[in-house]
Amino acid sequence: MLSWAVTFLIIAIIAAVLGFGGIAGTATSIAKLLFFLFLVLFVVTVILNLFRRGRP
């Protein structure tokens, strides 16, 4: 999922350099959404693993 966020970020940067404002804005929004979704899933996974290690 993080690779998708990086891919959309690269698309947004290329589109911004070429002057495609709408495409760049959309790709940036998708990249932000995927990054924060990845971040939330990562934190949830870390917390769940900490709770599992505590139980016998």
Side-chain angles (χ1 to χ4, degrees):
M1 187 174 305
L2 188 58
S3 63
W4 281 102
V6 172
T7 302
F8 278 107
L9 181 63
I10 292 171
I11 291 171
I13 291 171
I14 292 171
V17 167
L18 295 177
F20 299 112
I23 295 171
T26 303
T28 303
S29 298
I30 293 171
K32 284 182 186 178
L33 176 74
L34 289 174
F35 176 75
F36 287 118
L37 183 63
F38 168 77
L39 191 63
V40 167
L41 289 175
F42 174 74
V43 169
V44 168
T45 303
V46 168
I47 290 171
L48 288 176
N49 282 335
L50 288 175
F51 283 126
R52 286 185 185 170
R53 288 186 183 174
R55 294 184 180 170

